[in-house]
mmCIF file of all heavy atoms in Angstrom:
data_model
loop_
_atom_site.group_PDB
_atom_site.id
_atom_site.type_symbol
_atom_site.label_atom_id
_atom_site.label_comp_id
_atom_site.label_asym_id
_atom_site.label_seq_id
_atom_site.Cartn_x
_atom_site.Cartn_y
_atom_site.Cartn_z
ATOM 1 N N SER A 82 83.107 92.796 139.804
ATOM 2 C CA SER A 82 84.114 91.875 139.038
ATOM 3 C C SER A 82 85.036 92.719 138.334
ATOM 4 O O SER A 82 84.870 94.020 138.105
ATOM 5 C CB SER A 82 83.398 90.998 138.053
ATOM 6 O OG SER A 82 82.988 91.718 137.004
ATOM 7 N N GLY A 83 86.152 92.094 137.840
ATOM 8 C CA GLY A 83 87.049 92.857 136.937
ATOM 9 C C GLY A 83 86.457 93.349 135.713
ATOM 10 O O GLY A 83 86.688 94.501 135.249
ATOM 11 N N MET A 84 85.670 92.527 135.095
ATOM 12 C CA MET A 84 85.041 92.941 133.832
ATOM 13 C C MET A 84 83.976 94.123 134.036
ATOM 14 O O MET A 84 83.874 94.893 133.176
ATOM 15 C CB MET A 84 84.301 91.726 133.189
ATOM 16 C CG MET A 84 85.226 90.747 132.477
ATOM 17 S SD MET A 84 86.694 91.477 131.673
ATOM 18 C CE MET A 84 85.864 92.458 130.369
ATOM 19 N N ALA A 85 83.384 94.125 135.195
ATOM 20 C CA ALA A 85 82.481 95.361 135.362
ATOM 21 C C ALA A 85 83.375 96.543 135.400
ATOM 22 O O ALA A 85 82.946 97.753 135.009
ATOM 23 C CB ALA A 85 81.756 95.200 136.723
ATOM 24 N N MET A 87 86.312 96.921 133.773
ATOM 25 C CA MET A 87 86.840 97.326 132.342
ATOM 26 C C MET A 87 85.591 97.912 131.611
ATOM 27 O O MET A 87 85.878 98.862 130.903
ATOM 28 C CB MET A 87 87.226 95.897 131.581
ATOM 29 C CG MET A 87 88.209 95.079 132.321
ATOM 30 S SD MET A 87 89.753 95.938 132.749
ATOM 31 C CE MET A 87 90.258 95.067 134.340
ATOM 32 N N PHE A 108 93.114 90.723 127.807
ATOM 33 C CA PHE A 108 92.357 89.697 128.314
ATOM 34 C C PHE A 108 91.166 89.331 127.520
ATOM 35 O O PHE A 108 90.542 90.185 126.888
ATOM 36 C CB PHE A 108 91.901 90.184 129.694
ATOM 37 C CG PHE A 108 90.998 89.229 130.504
ATOM 38 C CD1 PHE A 108 91.665 88.029 131.052
ATOM 39 C CD2 PHE A 108 89.663 89.358 130.779
ATOM 40 C CE1 PHE A 108 90.828 87.116 131.723
ATOM 41 C CE2 PHE A 108 88.939 88.455 131.476
ATOM 42 C CZ PHE A 108 89.522 87.248 131.955
ATOM 43 N N THR A 111 87.937 91.264 127.580
ATOM 44 C CA THR A 111 88.008 92.773 127.256
ATOM 45 C C THR A 111 88.121 92.824 125.744
ATOM 46 O O THR A 111 87.512 93.675 125.120
ATOM 47 C CB THR A 111 89.435 93.311 127.866
ATOM 48 O OG1 THR A 111 89.494 92.901 129.272
ATOM 49 C CG2 THR A 111 89.518 94.733 127.730
ATOM 50 N N GLU A 151 97.258 96.766 128.414
ATOM 51 C CA GLU A 151 97.425 95.721 129.510
ATOM 52 C C GLU A 151 98.819 95.322 129.514
ATOM 53 O O GLU A 151 99.432 95.037 128.449
ATOM 54 C CB GLU A 151 96.524 94.612 129.185
ATOM 55 C CG GLU A 151 96.193 93.621 130.249
ATOM 56 C CD GLU A 151 95.375 92.472 129.716
ATOM 57 O OE1 GLU A 151 94.183 92.684 129.212
ATOM 58 O OE2 GLU A 151 95.810 91.214 129.697
ATOM 59 N N ASN A 155 97.830 89.346 129.391
ATOM 60 C CA ASN A 155 97.324 87.974 129.695
ATOM 61 C C ASN A 155 97.002 87.271 128.408
ATOM 62 O O ASN A 155 96.109 87.780 127.794
ATOM 63 C CB ASN A 155 96.214 88.107 130.710
ATOM 64 C CG ASN A 155 95.577 86.760 131.075
ATOM 65 O OD1 ASN A 155 96.077 85.738 130.785
ATOM 66 N ND2 ASN A 155 94.430 86.858 131.840
ATOM 67 N N ASP A 180 95.062 98.262 132.302
ATOM 68 C CA ASP A 180 94.756 97.156 133.253
ATOM 69 C C ASP A 180 95.956 96.666 133.909
ATOM 70 O O ASP A 180 96.801 96.040 133.347
ATOM 71 C CB ASP A 180 94.046 96.043 132.340
ATOM 72 C CG ASP A 180 93.599 94.850 133.033
ATOM 73 O OD1 ASP A 180 93.974 94.718 134.203
ATOM 74 O OD2 ASP A 180 92.855 94.065 132.476
ATOM 75 N N CYS A 182 96.229 94.457 136.355
ATOM 76 C CA CYS A 182 95.943 93.171 137.080
ATOM 77 C C CYS A 182 97.009 92.266 137.355
ATOM 78 O O CYS A 182 97.286 91.839 138.425
ATOM 79 C CB CYS A 182 94.787 92.564 136.247
ATOM 80 S SG CYS A 182 94.330 90.851 136.883
ATOM 81 N N PHE A 183 97.917 92.119 136.166
ATOM 82 C CA PHE A 183 98.966 91.101 136.345
ATOM 83 C C PHE A 183 100.141 91.629 137.393
ATOM 84 O O PHE A 183 100.732 90.885 138.018
ATOM 85 C CB PHE A 183 99.613 90.818 135.015
ATOM 86 C CG PHE A 183 98.994 89.625 134.440
ATOM 87 C CD1 PHE A 183 97.712 89.241 134.517
ATOM 88 C CD2 PHE A 183 99.850 88.692 133.683
ATOM 89 C CE1 PHE A 183 97.144 88.069 133.964
ATOM 90 C CE2 PHE A 183 99.342 87.463 133.127
ATOM 91 C CZ PHE A 183 97.970 87.159 133.344
ATOM 92 N N SER A 202 91.279 93.529 137.919
ATOM 93 C CA SER A 202 90.452 92.428 138.335
ATOM 94 C C SER A 202 91.094 92.081 139.762
ATOM 95 O O SER A 202 92.145 91.564 139.841
ATOM 96 C CB SER A 202 90.645 91.237 137.439
ATOM 97 O OG SER A 202 90.048 90.145 138.062
ATOM 98 N N ALA A 203 90.337 92.381 140.810
ATOM 99 C CA ALA A 203 90.759 92.180 142.214
ATOM 100 C C ALA A 203 90.675 90.745 142.592
ATOM 101 O O ALA A 203 91.164 90.197 143.593
ATOM 102 C CB ALA A 203 90.029 93.125 143.244
ATOM 103 N N THR A 204 89.973 90.024 141.633
ATOM 104 C CA THR A 204 89.776 88.520 141.798
ATOM 105 C C THR A 204 91.045 87.751 141.816
ATOM 106 O O THR A 204 91.138 86.658 142.359
ATOM 107 C CB THR A 204 89.054 88.060 140.613
ATOM 108 O OG1 THR A 204 87.892 88.943 140.278
ATOM 109 C CG2 THR A 204 88.427 86.648 140.763
ATOM 110 N N LYS A 205 92.168 88.372 141.251
ATOM 111 C CA LYS A 205 93.373 87.690 141.021
ATOM 112 C C LYS A 205 94.280 87.882 142.233
ATOM 113 O O LYS A 205 94.035 87.440 143.276
ATOM 114 C CB LYS A 205 93.977 88.108 139.739
ATOM 115 C CG LYS A 205 93.035 88.070 138.553
ATOM 116 C CD LYS A 205 92.478 86.735 138.088
ATOM 117 C CE LYS A 205 91.475 86.828 137.197
ATOM 118 N NZ LYS A 205 91.540 87.508 135.898
ATOM 119 N N LEU A 214 85.188 87.475 143.617
ATOM 120 C CA LEU A 214 85.289 88.288 142.448
ATOM 121 C C LEU A 214 85.352 89.712 142.927
ATOM 122 O O LEU A 214 84.689 90.107 143.906
ATOM 123 C CB LEU A 214 84.188 88.177 141.450
ATOM 124 C CG LEU A 214 83.869 86.797 140.802
ATOM 125 C CD1 LEU A 214 82.736 86.945 139.771
ATOM 126 C CD2 LEU A 214 85.212 86.226 140.171
ATOM 127 N N GLY A 215 85.978 90.621 142.245
ATOM 128 C CA GLY A 215 86.041 91.996 142.509
ATOM 129 C C GLY A 215 86.800 92.778 141.451
ATOM 130 O O GLY A 215 87.539 92.088 140.697
ATOM 131 N N LEU A 333 93.802 82.835 138.248
ATOM 132 C CA LEU A 333 95.196 83.044 138.470
ATOM 133 C C LEU A 333 95.423 83.914 139.626
ATOM 134 O O LEU A 333 94.528 84.403 140.226
ATOM 135 C CB LEU A 333 95.929 83.636 137.170
ATOM 136 C CG LEU A 333 95.473 85.086 136.795
ATOM 137 C CD1 LEU A 333 96.276 86.052 137.335
ATOM 138 C CD2 LEU A 333 95.408 85.166 135.260
HETATM 139 C C1 PLP B 401 90.707 88.076 135.025
HETATM 140 C C2 PLP B 401 91.057 89.380 134.368
HETATM 141 C C3 PLP B 401 90.025 90.286 134.073
HETATM 142 C C4 PLP B 401 88.617 90.003 134.432
HETATM 143 O O1 PLP B 401 88.365 89.984 135.767
HETATM 144 P P1 PLP B 401 87.158 89.222 136.427
HETATM 145 O O2 PLP B 401 87.276 89.556 137.920
HETATM 146 O O3 PLP B 401 87.295 87.870 136.091
HETATM 147 O O4 PLP B 401 85.922 89.790 135.882
HETATM 148 C C5 PLP B 401 90.459 91.410 133.332
HETATM 149 N N1 PLP B 401 91.687 91.540 133.064
HETATM 150 C C6 PLP B 401 92.746 90.735 133.273
HETATM 151 C C7 PLP B 401 94.111 91.045 132.907
HETATM 152 C C8 PLP B 401 92.399 89.561 133.895
HETATM 153 O O5 PLP B 401 93.345 88.674 134.208
#
Side-chain angles (χ1 to χ4, degrees):
S82 71
M84 285 321 298
M87 306 307 149
F108 181 66
T111 310
E151 195 179 300
N155 181 2
D180 181 344
C182 172
F183 264 39
S202 166
T204 315
K205 312 294 170 54
L214 298 183
L333 62 92

